[in-house]
Amino acid sequence: MPSAALPVLYTFRRCPYAIRARLALAASQIPVLHHEVSLRDKPAAMLLISPKGTVPVLQLADGTVLEQSLDIMLWALHQHDPLGWLPGCGWDDAARELVATNDGEFKRNLDRYKYPERYPELDQAGHRQQGEVFLRTLEQRLDGQPWLAGAHAGLVDMAILPFVRQFAHVDKGWFASAPYPQVRTWLDGFLESALFAGVMEKR
Ligand SMILES: N[C@@H](CCC(=O)N[C@@H](CS)C(=O)NCC(=O)O)C(=O)O
């Protein structure tokens, strides 16, 4: 347990799970000590409190360890939610299901699309097509409302956006003309936000 009174966040800058955790921590304005880790050489102090070895991990001042990104988001927003991400999203069954699909099927397809050489059962376009099933779901949800949560951004948006960002970045040219205009506008608004810029700052 570090002696500092602040919670310690073990994080990796580009990890979408870590980004969603940092977004909620930033939104909640809770100060934490950021510990950027190398995934190839994880710090012993992190593995001691969270042997599963994934980031993000948040160790609270009382020693409690949160080792799932969604738990970190919910903890942070339950402390302080000035942007109204919890009521905004409702965190209802539909939101949970969307995030579960993101973390399951979509993340699986994202990895295959990003690293097609590791998954030769389909070519890259084939993996992308599988990922597009989720983009279509998002496109429908965003039809008539700017955020998945409705009129305002919510936890459900922030939990999913970092993953869609990665998907879009695999082939920016393709994404720019893909038939998902609402998803594009939603993602662009996020990428241009000060909140996103803040959590991506190099430390
Ligand atoms: N279910 C976890 C997943 C976290 C996760 O898989 N993070 C990746 C980085 S994006 C990781 O730490 N992988 C371990 C490794 O690459 O060694 C969460 O939501 O926090």
Side-chain angles (χ1 to χ4, degrees):
M1 174 65 208
S3 55
L6 291 180
V8 177
L9 179 72
Y10 294 93
T11 179
F12 181 68
R13 186 171 171 273
R14 283 179 291 114
C15 165
Y17 299 98
I19 294 173
R20 67 156 62 136
R22 297 200 304 271
L23 285 165
L25 287 164
S28 69
Q29 301 169 355
I30 295 172
V32 298
L33 290 174
H34 287 249
H35 190 138
E36 178 78 15
V37 308
S38 158
L39 293 179
R40 297 215 174 128
D41 184 18
K42 294 165 189 155
M46 179 185 111
L47 293 174
L48 196 66
I49 58 168
S50 181
K52 74 176 176 30
T54 64
V55 291
V57 174
L58 184 69
Q59 186 173 31
L60 305 182
D62 70 0
T64 305
V65 176
L66 302 175
E67 48 181 355
Q68 291 295 332
S69 54
L70 281 176
D71 291 340
I72 296 172
M73 291 186 88
L74 287 164
W75 174 82
L77 297 170
H78 278 121
Q79 309 305 304
H80 193 211
D81 183 21
L83 302 179
W85 283 4
L86 282 178
C89 108
W91 201 226
D92 55 8
D93 285 351
R96 279 172 215 264
E97 200 183 308
L98 208 58
V99 173
T101 306
N102 176 81
D103 290 16
E105 198 180 309
F106 183 62
K107 175 67 165 85
R108 225 170 13 252
N109 291 320
L110 169 62
D111 289 344
R112 283 161 173 69
Y113 177 36
K114 268 180 79 179
Y115 307 109
E117 64 288 349
R118 296 184 199 165
Y119 305 97
E121 68 278 9
L122 284 179
D123 64 9
Q124 191 178 30
H127 290 304
R128 184 171 67 206
Q129 275 164 21
Q130 309 234 321
E132 286 181 71
V133 174
F134 189 60
L135 294 191
R136 277 196 289 278
T137 303
L138 298 180
E139 186 71 15
Q140 281 161 15
R141 284 273 301 233
L142 293 167
D143 190 18
Q145 58 180 39
W147 299 96
L148 296 173
H152 302 282
L155 184 153
V156 64
D157 296 279
M158 299 303 153
I160 292 175
L161 274 158
F163 296 82
V164 175
R165 166 181 176 265
Q166 277 201 344
F167 197 90
H169 282 194
V170 176
D171 183 346
K172 290 184 179 174
W174 171 83
F175 187 74
S177 57
Y180 312 109
Q182 316 286 350
V183 173
R184 231 170 5 247
T185 304
W186 170 70
L187 179 63
D188 285 348
F190 168 68
L191 296 180
E192 285 159 14
S193 68
L195 194 72
F196 176 68
V199 305
M200 294 306 283
E201 260 169 29
K202 288 198 173 139
R203 290 168 188 272

